[in-house]
Amino acid sequence: KRREETFSPVLSSALKRISRMDMRHRRTIILAGILIAIFSASQIPSIQVDSNFQSFFREDDPVRQASDAINEHLAGSTAFYVTIDGEEKNIIRKWDTLRRIKDLQFYIDSLPGVEKTISFVDYCEILDRGIQAVPPLEGTPEAPRAEADTTFWENPSQLDGVMQLVFLNANSISGVVNHPVFSRTNIIVRTSLTRASDVTATVEKIQTFAEKTFPPELKVHATGELILHARTSGDIVRGQIQSLALAAGVIFIVMSTMFLSFRIGLIAMIPNLFPILVFFGLMGASGAVLSLSTNVIAAIVLGIAVDDTIHLMTRLSTDVRSTADQEQACLLYTSDAADESSRG
């Protein structure tokens, strides 16, 4: 059918002028595109990969306000666990193991952003103080006391009495040690850290300290939902590269098959990959953080580019066969695009 500009002749005329200008200066445009691509590629290594879970909420959001109040007045709104695993039964009940756990706990408490730690050792110390404070039974001669009460740290023999009470109170300690095997325990770490990079750096410091102070039979590692989120953020770059590479490969195969040409498939990849390259280049140049939320933008960019490429190249292929003139075919497509835009 004969094409008629019945919807927006003004827009069609403007787009045709832009198309003619693009075709006249195509070498300049291609050179500018290459320079932009080179600049964008040079900025990609500067991309910062991180995620701040609190930033998903506005400052006046009740969740954000409650989290800030907990961090300010209590002991950290988030928590993770430092687990100490051993294969030997009752290894956690040994004095030297408790001493190492206490040293690790002291070290974790000194790290920035850590508000409070709780461990099995804390429970043992409370029981020890309680034993020292118990008065002798009526009619029982009081044993001579030292000028200052000792703890099981100064007098390891006191640890036996503490462990007897620990064994009889399984329900009270089930959250920090695996009673009755006593081969595994954990330190609960309450923190105000919300950035994935800060959490990862803290965990690395804990691992380094533990490797220097714990024997090989005791394995120390951090775990918990906060650690899982931090590691997920750390895998963004690897996952982004894999997914975009797979998508680009599939798009290339589809384009090559659709137009029955390997060369056309390569040409079609240029408008698909260029906006993604610019997107990541702008992120690196501007200092924008690649996070769980910004990660989806690249996929959206690729989807829009693929859709436009398929529409444009399919229609261009049809018009080239009917006019036998590539420039005229581009102008026909421009006019039809204006009509479709007006209908929309």
Side-chain angles (χ1 to χ4, degrees):
K1 297 180 180 180
R2 188 169 57 90
R3 296 181 175 86
E4 295 181 359
E5 297 179 356
T6 57
F7 290 93
S8 180
V10 176
L11 178 61
S12 295
S13 177
L15 291 177
K16 284 182 179 180
R17 287 197 300 271
I18 294 174
S19 298
R20 290 191 179 96
M21 183 182 65
D22 290 344
M23 286 184 284
R24 284 198 303 268
H25 301 286
R26 55 180 173 268
R27 289 185 176 84
T28 303
I29 294 174
I30 291 174
L31 178 60
I34 292 174
L35 294 177
I36 293 173
I38 293 174
F39 172 78
S40 300
S42 68
Q43 297 301 311
I44 289 178
S46 303
I47 293 178
Q48 302 176 18
V49 182
D50 203 352
S51 186
N52 187 340
F53 310 113
Q54 272 197 357
S55 65
F56 298 157
F57 303 95
R58 300 184 305 273
E59 291 187 2
D60 58 348
D61 191 280
V63 174
R64 182 75 172 269
Q65 292 178 343
S67 178
D68 292 339
I70 293 173
N71 289 331
E72 181 178 357
H73 302 292
L74 297 177
S77 59
T78 56
F80 64 91
Y81 303 87
V82 177
T83 301
I84 299 95
D85 276 328
E87 298 180 358
E88 179 184 342
K89 184 178 180 180
N90 292 325
I91 190 171
I92 302 300
R93 300 176 61 176
K94 294 182 177 180
W95 185 93
D96 56 342
T97 302
L98 296 176
R99 180 73 265 176
R100 289 188 175 94
I101 295 174
K102 188 65 176 179
D103 291 340
L104 177 60
Q105 191 175 354
F106 275 137
Y107 176 73
I108 297 174
D109 280 327
S110 69
L111 296 177
V114 175
E115 307 296 335
K116 179 70 175 178
T117 58
I118 305 170
S119 73
F120 175 59
V121 177
D122 295 326
Y123 185 79
C124 293
E125 289 177 336
I126 292 173
L127 290 179
D128 190 31
R129 290 195 297 268
I131 292 174
Q132 301 303 316
V134 172
L137 296 175
E138 186 177 351
T140 304
E142 184 176 356
R145 283 180 172 268
E147 292 184 2
D149 291 334
T150 61
T151 65
F152 62 78
W153 298 122
E154 292 85 19
N155 183 12
S157 62
Q158 293 179 200
L159 188 59
D160 293 336
V162 172
M163 289 303 162
Q164 289 179 10
L165 288 178
V166 167
F167 189 84
L168 296 174
N169 290 272
N171 294 334
S172 301
I173 61 170
S174 59
V176 290
V177 70
N178 61 334
H179 183 285
V181 180
F182 293 96
S183 62
R184 175 184 299 170
T185 187
N186 63 62
I187 301 173
I188 303 172
V189 182
R190 300 208 62 86
T191 176
S192 58
L193 299 175
T194 56
R195 294 175 62 91
S197 58
D198 295 335
V199 174
T200 301
T202 299
V203 170
E204 289 177 353
K205 292 177 182 178
I206 293 173
Q207 294 287 161
T208 301
F209 182 87
E211 290 172 0
K212 296 178 180 178
T213 56
F214 282 78
E217 59 268 22
L218 288 171
K219 307 297 182 184
V220 179
H221 60 277
T223 184
E225 186 177 352
L226 184 62
I227 304 301
L228 177 62
H229 287 167
R231 290 174 178 170
T232 300
S233 300
D235 291 338
I236 286 178
V237 172
R238 182 176 59 188
Q240 184 74 270
I241 293 174
Q242 291 176 350
S243 62
L244 291 178
L246 178 61
V250 172
I251 292 168
F252 169 73
I253 294 173
V254 171
M255 291 291 184
S256 299
T257 304
M258 179 182 297
F259 298 103
L260 302 177
S261 171
F262 181 82
R263 183 176 65 89
I264 296 299
L266 288 177
I267 294 174
M269 294 308 298
I270 296 175
N272 288 304
L273 297 182
F274 181 77
I276 297 176
L277 186 62
V278 173
F279 166 70
F280 285 118
L282 288 175
M283 289 194 70
S286 63
V289 176
L290 181 60
S291 65
L292 294 173
S293 55
T294 59
N295 184 44
V296 300
I297 298 177
I300 296 174
V301 170
L302 181 61
I304 294 174
V306 170
D307 182 68
D308 289 344
T309 302
I310 292 175
H311 281 289
L312 190 147
M313 295 193 69
T314 302
R315 187 54 182 270
L316 181 62
S317 177
T318 302
D319 289 338
V320 165
R321 287 195 298 269
S322 63
T323 63
D325 187 310
Q326 184 173 341
E327 292 190 5
Q328 185 62 27
C330 288
L331 295 176
L332 287 173
Y333 177 81
T334 300
S335 177
D336 291 341
D339 290 346
E340 293 177 5
S341 176
S342 298
R343 292 190 189 97

